[in-house]
Amino acid sequence: MKMKDIGEFEFIDKIRNGCLIRTDGVVQAIGDDAAAFQLDAGKLTLVTTDLLVERVHFLRDATTGFNLGYKALAVNLSDIAAMGGMAREAFISIAVPVDCELAFLEDLYRGMRHLASQYDVNLLGGDTTGSKTDLVINVGIVGSVSAHAMLTRQAARPGDRIFTTGYLGDSRAGLHLILNGITISTGDYEALFEAHILPHPYLAEGQFLSAQTGVHAAIDVSDGLVSDLGHILSASHVGARLWCARTPVSPQLQRFCTQFGFDSVDYALTGGEDYTLVVTMAADHAEAARQSYERRFGKPLFEIGEITDTGRLELVDPTGRVNPAVAKGWNHFKKG
Ligand code: ADP
Ligand code: MG
């Protein structure tokens, strides 16, 4: 069955089941002219949106609806995570070509509901309209955060240590495999595919870090470490040194780079869409925060560098030599 066989209103009736994951705080869910809900009293409201366009951000033939829905929601949850916030309500607007299979869209909502239920987020509304040829999906999320705990890009200070919550570069390697027709069943690259297709939103980690003493700035890695750390540097008017030998590279990425002749540090520094968090912490609190993070989550918080007062991003290579980073990171990113 195609979208043109059922129309907008029957479609909304089909997908709305299971969209209300948490009743607490919700006064009006899908079905009226607007949603109504109560956010946590005394907290700041966070709002973020991301737009995904077929042939620009995804290929409809190369993805399942489930994976596309999951990722569309995950990238938005990641933005809330990078503010140290809690995600509460999601709004999904879609422009659907008439030939789009209904089953694909139902699968898309299954993917979103699957992830939403893990984080107690409601799918609370949206809009549905037609499109000539391409599928367009916009997800918006409303969340909340305590004013004193909110993490921003502008709070890094010289002397801060820089950490990241997960491996870097896996997602770009997964994309390389997909674009070259190498499928999930070949090799032992599951973690690389998964990093690209089903990224983990670091919401619990972001909330935990935002509550630690001495945690200053944060951002999520969407465009690549060099590029995204660059946003912290310009917003905070600081510089940074990254220790190349300490960028967290997964065993699978290491194996992938050996097999295909790529540089794993380059992947870690410039690969995009990892959606790990990068946080800066005051040096005298960093070790305690790192230890309590590792106790809480049972996984490492990787230390990758330090904030400086130079205004520039520098890379320390494994021999200890310091090189300017900008040209390499940016050029490579633009080409990629
Ligand atoms: P209106 O014309 O008053 O904007 P709609 O018919 O567009 O109303 O929407 C009816 C209800 O369905 C609203 O609650 C809206 O938020 C919800 N809705 C519409 N499209 C979607 C969608 N793609 N995903 C989730 N909810 C949707
Ligand atoms: Mg109306």
Side-chain angles (χ1 to χ4, degrees), residues 150-167:
M150 184 167 71
L151 301 175
T152 66
R153 299 176 179 188
Q154 62 191 22
R157 297 179 207 159
D160 281 2
R161 308 294 157 167
I162 307 170
F163 294 84
T164 191
T165 54
Y167 291 128

Side-chain angles (χ1 to χ4, degrees), residues 44 78 160 172 196 200 203 219 283 292 297 306 309 311 335:
L44 295 178
S78 177
D160 281 2
R172 176 165 154 214
H196 186 73
H200 172 78
L203 274 166
I219 194 166
S292 58
F297 294 104
E306 61 194 338
D309 61 4
K335 264 192 280 166

Side-chain angles (χ1 to χ4, degrees), residues 259-321:
Q259 182 176 347
F260 295 97
F262 296 121
D263 175 2
S264 60
V265 171
D266 185 50
Y267 260 68
L269 290 176
T270 64
E273 297 200 295
D274 286 309
Y275 299 104
T276 64
L277 300 181
V278 169
V279 295
T280 82
M281 297 193 218
D284 52 349
H285 289 106
E287 188 48 28
R290 190 184 64 73
Q291 281 179 20
S292 58
Y293 177 98
E294 295 189 358
R295 267 197 307 278
R296 163 73 177 77
F297 294 104
K299 60 184 181 185
L301 184 61
F302 300 101
E303 188 169 358
I304 56 174
E306 61 194 338
I307 297 292
T308 64
D309 61 4
T310 63
R312 292 185 305 276
L313 180 56
E314 297 163 321
L315 302 178
V316 184
D317 75 15
T319 67
R321 209 180 30 224

Side-chain angles (χ1 to χ4, degrees), residues 8-9 11-12 15 29-33 92 94 109 125-128:
E8 175 188 343
F9 301 115
F11 169 75
I12 295 170
I15 54 96
I30 291 180
D32 214 309
D33 293 311
I92 302 102
I94 52 177
Y109 275 79
D127 198 20
T128 307

Side-chain angles (χ1 to χ4, degrees), residues 136-186:
V136 178
I137 306 165
N138 181 73
V139 176
I141 305 218
V142 177
S144 67
V145 67
S146 308
H148 65 268
M150 184 167 71
L151 301 175
T152 66
R153 299 176 179 188
Q154 62 191 22
R157 297 179 207 159
D160 281 2
R161 308 294 157 167
I162 307 170
F163 294 84
T164 191
T165 54
Y167 291 128
L168 296 168
D170 281 7
S171 176
R172 176 165 154 214
L175 178 63
H176 177 91
L177 293 170
I178 292 165
L179 292 178
N180 286 280
I182 299 164
T183 61
I184 306 229
S185 55
T186 32

Side-chain angles (χ1 to χ4, degrees):
M1 204 190 298
K2 311 250 186 211
M3 192 63 179
K4 65 181 174 214
D5 301 322
I6 67 159
E8 175 188 343
F9 301 115
E10 212 182 308
F11 169 75
I12 295 170
D13 265 350
K14 267 190 179 303
I15 54 96
R16 65 191 275 184
N17 266 339
C19 283
L20 189 65
I21 280 148
R22 183 199 75 248
T23 52
D24 153 44
V26 178
V27 179
Q28 178 62 57
I30 291 180
D32 214 309
D33 293 311
F37 57 90
Q38 182 90 56
L39 274 173
D40 309 328
K43 292 199 172 177
L44 295 178
T45 301
L46 300 169
V47 178
T48 181
T49 71
D50 260 300
L51 181 66
L52 296 179
V53 178
E54 183 176 348
R55 291 189 292 167
V56 177
H57 301 100
F58 65 90
L59 299 171
R60 203 180 345 148
D61 295 341
T63 179
T64 64
F66 185 98
N67 291 346
L68 182 60
Y70 180 106
K71 189 160 177 178
L73 187 61
V75 302
N76 278 279
L77 294 177
S78 177
D79 281 322
I80 298 288
M83 302 296 289
M86 193 180 204
R88 302 291 279 175
E89 320 295 345
F91 296 86
I92 302 102
S93 296
I94 52 177
V96 186
V98 284
D99 73 336
C100 188
E101 291 290 346
L102 188 62
F104 183 90
L105 295 175
E106 288 183 304
D107 205 26
L108 181 102
Y109 275 79
R110 257 195 299 281
M112 285 193 286
R113 286 195 302 260
H114 174 83
L115 185 60
S117 61
Q118 287 176 25
Y119 292 97
D120 227 15
V121 173
N122 292 313
L123 309 184
L124 211 58
D127 198 20
T128 307
T129 185
S131 163
K132 293 283 186 223
T133 51
D134 291 321
L135 177 64
V136 178
I137 306 165
N138 181 73
V139 176
I141 305 218
V142 177
S144 67
V145 67
S146 308
H148 65 268
M150 184 167 71
L151 301 175
T152 66
R153 299 176 179 188
Q154 62 191 22
R157 297 179 207 159
D160 281 2
R161 308 294 157 167
I162 307 170
F163 294 84
T164 191
T165 54
Y167 291 128
L168 296 168
D170 281 7
S171 176
R172 176 165 154 214
L175 178 63
H176 177 91
L177 293 170
I178 292 165
L179 292 178
N180 286 280
I182 299 164
T183 61
I184 306 229
S185 55
T186 32
D188 291 320
Y189 292 134
E190 286 80 8
L192 306 182
F193 288 109
E194 187 155 323
H196 186 73
I197 296 169
L198 302 170
H200 172 78
Y202 288 86
L203 274 166
E205 294 85 346
Q207 280 158 36
F208 180 86
L209 287 167
S210 74
Q212 302 301 302
T213 310
V215 177
H216 290 156
I219 194 166
D220 64 321
V221 179
S222 51
D223 296 333
L225 176 63
V226 165
S227 170
D228 291 312
L229 179 61
H231 294 310
I232 288 186
L233 304 191
S234 49
S236 299
H237 309 290
V238 294
R241 270 185 184 186
L242 287 177
W243 306 315
C244 291
R246 293 181 65 174
T247 51
V249 170
S250 72
Q252 294 201 7
L253 180 61
Q254 199 62 63
R255 194 154 12 96
F256 164 91
C257 286
T258 306
Q259 182 176 347
F260 295 97
F262 296 121
D263 175 2
S264 60
V265 171
D266 185 50
Y267 260 68
L269 290 176
T270 64
E273 297 200 295
D274 286 309
Y275 299 104
T276 64
L277 300 181
V278 169
V279 295
T280 82
M281 297 193 218
D284 52 349
H285 289 106
E287 188 48 28
R290 190 184 64 73
Q291 281 179 20
S292 58
Y293 177 98
E294 295 189 358
R295 267 197 307 278
R296 163 73 177 77
F297 294 104
K299 60 184 181 185
L301 184 61
F302 300 101
E303 188 169 358
I304 56 174
E306 61 194 338
I307 297 292
T308 64
D309 61 4
T310 63
R312 292 185 305 276
L313 180 56
E314 297 163 321
L315 302 178
V316 184
D317 75 15
T319 67
R321 209 180 30 224
V322 178
N323 303 302
V326 179
K328 189 184 176 212
W330 277 106
N331 286 345
H332 196 98
F333 180 69
K334 282 182 179 160
K335 264 192 280 166

